Amino acid sequence: MRRERTSEIREDVAAALDLGAALLSRRVAQGRGLSLAARGVLGSLEEAGPTRLTALAAVSGVSQPAMTQLVGRLERDGLVVRLIDPDDARATLVDLSDAGHALLAELRRLRRDRLAQLLDTLSPHDEVTLSLAMRVALPLLQQLSSRAAEHPHFQPAPEALTGDLAAPGV
């Protein structure tokens, strides 16, 4: 028999993920004077490779003019390069430069160093408990990350927005 998913479980998981995201984005991941939007664009390029500016704007949820300005700043800083689209010579692609790859690696290292320092504030028992929880959660987080990448414009079903988790057609 299939167990019913409850809104309370989903809310608890969503709250924990939200807290983790806030911990990383607001408390740990700050560095090198890059805005969250700039880090997001660099991360998207690292994940997807060369991308049209319009697609970057759509994935980032910003207007094309705003993305054009951001990419211009990143290009001036030497973090991205513009390439001719091999499928359409009239269009350009944006890609990470070597400096952009290096900066992302440095930011990842800094983030992990800061997290390690923060973990030092936990008791050994709490650190082991968190480690065990992460071993269970990691494959599920990887699954969610893959699904989010496959469906960047995912919108929850209307019943999920209202909290009505009844089976379709019921």
Side-chain angles (χ1 to χ4, degrees):
M1 181 176 180
R2 186 171 169 235
R3 275 188 18 208
E4 284 283 323
R5 296 180 183 183
T6 67
S7 61
E8 183 178 339
I9 290 172
R10 285 184 176 183
E11 288 174 14
D12 289 347
V13 170
L17 290 173
D18 192 45
L19 180 62
L23 172 66
L24 286 174
S25 66
R26 293 189 208 133
R27 308 273 189 262
V28 177
Q30 298 156 356
R32 302 294 179 237
L34 282 179
S35 68
L36 184 58
R39 289 192 313 258
V41 167
L42 295 176
S44 292
L45 290 171
E46 182 179 51
E47 185 177 296
T51 307
R52 284 190 178 193
L53 201 123
T54 53
L56 278 176
V59 167
S60 300
V62 300
S63 69
Q64 187 170 343
M67 184 56 66
T68 299
Q69 288 182 349
L70 177 56
V71 166
R73 285 193 301 273
L74 294 171
E75 187 176 28
R76 281 189 301 279
D77 292 341
L79 300 174
V80 300
V81 293
R82 293 179 198 244
L83 310 168
I84 295 172
D85 187 339
D87 296 330
D88 181 356
R90 299 168 296 169
T92 60
L93 299 173
V94 180
D95 196 11
L96 279 178
S97 66
D98 290 342
H101 282 288
L103 178 63
L104 284 176
E106 180 185 351
L107 291 174
R108 200 171 4 267
R109 183 189 54 75
L110 285 171
R111 185 174 63 238
R112 289 182 179 166
D113 287 351
R114 288 177 182 157
L115 283 169
Q117 290 172 351
L118 195 55
L119 288 170
D120 282 343
T121 67
L122 293 176
S123 71
H125 178 265
D126 287 346
E127 189 172 357
V128 168
T129 301
L130 184 58
S131 173
L132 292 172
M134 290 295 97
R135 286 185 194 165
V136 172
L138 183 61
L140 301 173
L141 291 170
Q142 290 169 329
Q143 224 178 75
L144 289 173
S145 182
S146 293
R147 289 186 183 147
E150 291 167 5
H151 307 285
H153 302 292
F154 173 76
Q155 295 294 316
E159 62 269 13
L161 295 174
T162 63
D164 179 9
L165 298 175
V170 174

